[in-house]
Amino acid sequence: MSERRACRVIDADRKSVRYRSTRDDDADLREKLRELANQRRRFGYRRLHILLRREGIMINRKKTQRLYKEEGLAVRRRRNRRRAVGTRAPAPVLALPNQRWSLDFVHDQMASGRRFRVLNVVDDVTRECLAAAPDTSISGRRVVRELTRLIEQRGKPGMIVSDNGTELTSNAVLAWCGELGVEWHYIAPGRPMQNGYVESFNGRMRDELLNETLFMSLAQARVEIAAWVDDYNRERPHSSLGYATPAAFAAELDKQWPASLRPTGSATQPIASTAQMRKTTARL
C-alpha cells in the first residue's frame, strides 16, 4: 500500500508521518548525568536534577527524567518495604534547631567479619546529622559522653527521642538526664516509626554508604563515615527540606528567628562535626 493511501485510510497527515526529529542528542548532558549517577549511585532523577542545576545546567525536570530513563540509570530497589497503616504525626515543635534530637544505632561489619555499630544523632527540625560515632562497642556511658560533647557545642536540646535499647535505658543515661534536666522520650516498643527521623537517616546511610563501601578497618570506617556525614549535611539535597541541604536550611532558620526566641545556649554554627573517637583499647 502506498504512503498516500495508508495516510488516507488512517486519516493521518503525510507531513507528520515524514517528520524526523531535529532535536540535539544531548551527548554532553547525558555524559554529565551518567557521571553524577555513578558518583551518587543511590540518587534518583530528582536529586540528580538539583545537582545539575547547581552546576549551571538549567533544564526542565521532565527532560532530566526522560534522559535518566533513557540512559537506564533507575535505582534498583533493594527490598520491599512494609508500609505503616494509619497516621503518625510527630509531636509539634518550634521550627528551631535543638528542639528535638533523635538517637539510634545502625550496624555493619568490616571485611574481616568484625562487626561495628554507629551511634547517630539527628536534629529533627533541620535534619542535620549532629554526630555519627562508629565503634565496636558503645555503652551507655559512651552515649552520655557523646551527648555531653554535643551540648557543649550546640546547647541543651528540648527533648531527646530514642528506642528502648539497653544502652539508652542504662543507669548512666538516666542519671545524666536527671542531672542536666533533659527530657528523654522513649518510643513504644515495636513502633520504630515513632522515631522516624533517625530511622530515615539510618536508611539513607545504609543505602548510600554502608552497602556501597567495603570497610577494611575501623579507622577507615571512621574516615568514610565522617566524610559522608559532612557531604550529607552540606551537599546532599534533602527532599523534605525542599531539596535544600540541612546546613542551608539551618542557616535560613538562623536568619528568620530573632535571638530572643532561640533556645538558651544554642550555638551559632549550624553543623556539628562527627565525634572524635576513643582508642579501641580504652575502657569505658
Side-chain angles (χ1 to χ4, degrees), residues 96 253-262:
L96 277 172
L253 287 181
D254 192 63
K255 295 178 182 178
Q256 293 178 0
W257 286 86
S260 59
L261 296 180
R262 296 172 189 163

Side-chain angles (χ1 to χ4, degrees), residues 4-5 19 31 36-39 51 75 83 86-87 104 106 109 127-129 166 185 206 210 228 254 269 282:
R4 184 188 304 273
R5 185 177 180 185
Y19 174 77
E31 178 64 26
L36 288 175
N38 288 331
Q39 295 174 0
L51 297 183
V75 178
R83 300 293 181 180
T87 59
D104 199 13
V106 63
Q109 66 180 20
R127 306 297 201 275
E128 297 169 89
C129 176
T166 54
H185 174 73
R206 179 166 300 284
L210 302 182
W228 184 85
D254 192 63
Q269 189 173 1

Side-chain angles (χ1 to χ4, degrees), residues 15 18 29 41 44 49 54-55 58 61 71 81 91 97 99 108 124 138 141-142 168 176 185-186 198 208 224 238:
K15 291 182 179 179
R18 294 182 177 184
L29 179 57
R41 295 177 54 186
H49 178 71
R54 285 184 184 176
E55 298 191 10
M58 308 303 291
R61 180 185 60 81
E71 293 297 318
R81 301 192 313 174
Q99 292 297 294
D108 200 18
D124 290 358
I138 300 179
R141 294 180 181 177
R142 176 66 180 281
L168 305 176
W176 178 81
H185 174 73
Y186 294 99
V198 72
E208 299 175 12
E224 295 283 353
H238 203 298

Side-chain angles (χ1 to χ4, degrees), residues 78-266:
R78 296 186 187 276
R79 61 184 183 277
N80 293 329
R81 301 192 313 174
R82 293 182 298 176
R83 300 293 181 180
V85 177
T87 59
R88 48 178 187 270
V93 296
L94 289 175
L96 277 172
N98 281 9
Q99 292 297 294
R100 185 170 60 207
W101 294 355
S102 295
L103 275 69
D104 199 13
F105 293 96
V106 63
H107 301 258
D108 200 18
Q109 66 180 20
M110 292 173 276
S112 62
R114 189 180 187 187
R115 298 187 64 82
F116 68 93
R117 60 201 319 215
V118 185
L119 171 65
N120 287 327
V121 185
V122 175
D123 190 306
D124 290 358
V125 174
T126 66
R127 306 297 201 275
E128 297 169 89
C129 176
L130 308 182
D135 215 328
T136 53
S137 177
I138 300 179
S139 66
R141 294 180 181 177
R142 176 66 180 281
V143 172
V144 167
R145 289 207 302 270
E146 296 296 337
L147 292 177
T148 300
R149 180 190 61 82
L150 277 179
I151 289 177
E152 290 175 354
Q153 294 179 355
R154 297 178 60 94
K156 188 170 68 174
M159 176 188 295
I160 296 178
V161 181
S162 76
D163 59 20
N164 295 270
T166 54
E167 302 86 355
L168 305 176
T169 57
S170 63
N171 290 332
V173 170
L174 296 177
W176 178 81
C177 291
E179 292 174 2
L180 271 69
V182 175
E183 181 182 355
W184 196 298
H185 174 73
Y186 294 99
I187 65 174
R191 297 291 185 270
M193 284 312 301
Q194 292 183 5
N195 202 17
Y197 293 106
V198 72
E199 290 286 350
S200 176
F201 175 81
N202 287 348
R204 300 285 75 75
M205 173 180 279
R206 179 166 300 284
D207 188 45
E208 299 175 12
L209 175 67
L210 302 182
N211 288 344
E212 298 290 313
T213 309
L214 182 63
F215 299 109
M216 306 304 296
S217 65
L218 186 60
Q220 180 203 355
R222 289 169 177 164
V223 173
E224 295 283 353
I225 291 173
W228 184 85
V229 167
D230 184 72
D231 179 80
Y232 177 90
N233 284 332
R234 300 179 183 275
E235 300 295 335
R236 183 185 185 276
H238 203 298
S239 58
S240 65
L241 303 179
Y243 290 99
T245 64
F249 184 76
E252 186 64 25
L253 287 181
D254 192 63
K255 295 178 182 178
Q256 293 178 0
W257 286 86
S260 59
L261 296 180
R262 296 172 189 163
T264 303
S266 61

